[in-house]
Amino acid sequence: MANIDTYINKLKDFEGLQDKIKKAILGKQGIILGEVKKRLYNQGVDGNLKPMGTYSKSYREYKKAKGRVSSKVTLRDEGDWYRSMSLMFTDTNRLIIHSSEDRKTGELENMYGEAILFLTNTEAQNIRLTIIDPIVDKYLKELSDLNLDDIII
């Protein structure tokens, strides 16, 4: 039998659920960003799945000479911008991809659009299915395990 304090404390845990989810997402930052970087590099598409285009002829020749992908825009040359990526939450709790390379990010966003730092719907859904849902499901199970009929007041 549970007492009312146990139930109330479990309900209070709900207030911390958002922080648990944020912490879990940031704990998987490397995996999440790895998927974003693979998409940018392998597919050359932004978070809206829109192709970022092709490089100019001279830049394609430069990329070919360095043995790098030149057939599509990958936003990767030396890798500095990719390494500068991180996940963060806005004041409104929206998950965003951030780059500490502010000057370079601004230039890239001007050229290719702000969606270069967006998650695709599939990437966001994978975060929900593999990180968020299990945390919420665990909380709801723990809450439902408390039988309200057995609470002692």
Side-chain angles (χ1 to χ4, degrees):
M1 284 196 186
N3 66 31
I4 192 73
D5 291 332
T6 303
Y7 192 72
I8 290 170
N9 287 334
K10 185 49 69 180
L11 288 174
K12 286 181 181 176
D13 284 349
F14 186 73
E15 294 173 5
L17 198 58
Q18 185 173 21
D19 289 334
K20 287 179 187 177
I21 290 170
K22 285 181 179 180
K23 186 176 179 181
I25 289 171
L26 294 177
K28 300 285 185 180
Q29 177 170 249
I31 294 167
I32 295 166
L33 290 175
E35 292 300 310
V36 171
K37 293 171 188 178
K38 279 195 285 188
R39 171 182 39 85
L40 290 170
Y41 189 80
N42 293 334
Q43 299 172 24
V45 296
D46 65 19
N48 293 327
L49 299 178
K50 179 183 165 213
M52 293 181 289
T54 57
Y55 292 119
S56 68
K57 183 180 179 186
S58 61
Y59 198 69
R60 276 195 312 271
E61 290 171 3
Y62 163 79
K63 296 276 277 186
K64 279 183 191 176
K66 290 179 91 175
R68 300 214 169 97
V69 174
S70 60
S71 60
K72 61 185 169 288
V73 172
T74 64
L75 305 181
R76 187 176 194 288
D77 189 30
E78 299 295 327
D80 294 340
W81 188 71
Y82 275 34
R83 282 190 292 278
S84 75
M85 287 181 185
S86 62
L87 295 177
M88 65 184 292
F89 288 90
T90 66
D91 292 340
T92 58
N93 293 313
R94 180 172 176 239
L95 177 65
I96 61 168
I97 301 168
H98 172 75
S99 171
S100 60
E101 292 276 338
D102 291 333
R103 179 193 56 78
K104 194 176 224 178
T105 299
E107 291 171 8
L108 292 173
E109 284 181 323
N110 286 337
M111 290 175 71
Y112 303 108
E114 64 181 8
I116 61 173
L117 289 174
F118 289 1
L119 294 167
T120 65
N121 288 339
T122 300
E123 290 162 350
Q125 183 178 21
N126 286 339
I127 291 170
R128 184 182 58 79
L129 291 173
T130 62
I131 300 172
I132 298 171
D133 285 357
I135 292 170
V136 173
D137 290 347
K138 180 181 179 208
Y139 171 79
L140 292 174
K141 182 182 179 336
E142 290 173 0
L143 194 59
S144 69
D145 286 347
L146 294 174
N147 187 345
L148 293 176
D149 295 333
D150 292 339
I151 290 182
I152 302 169
I153 299 176

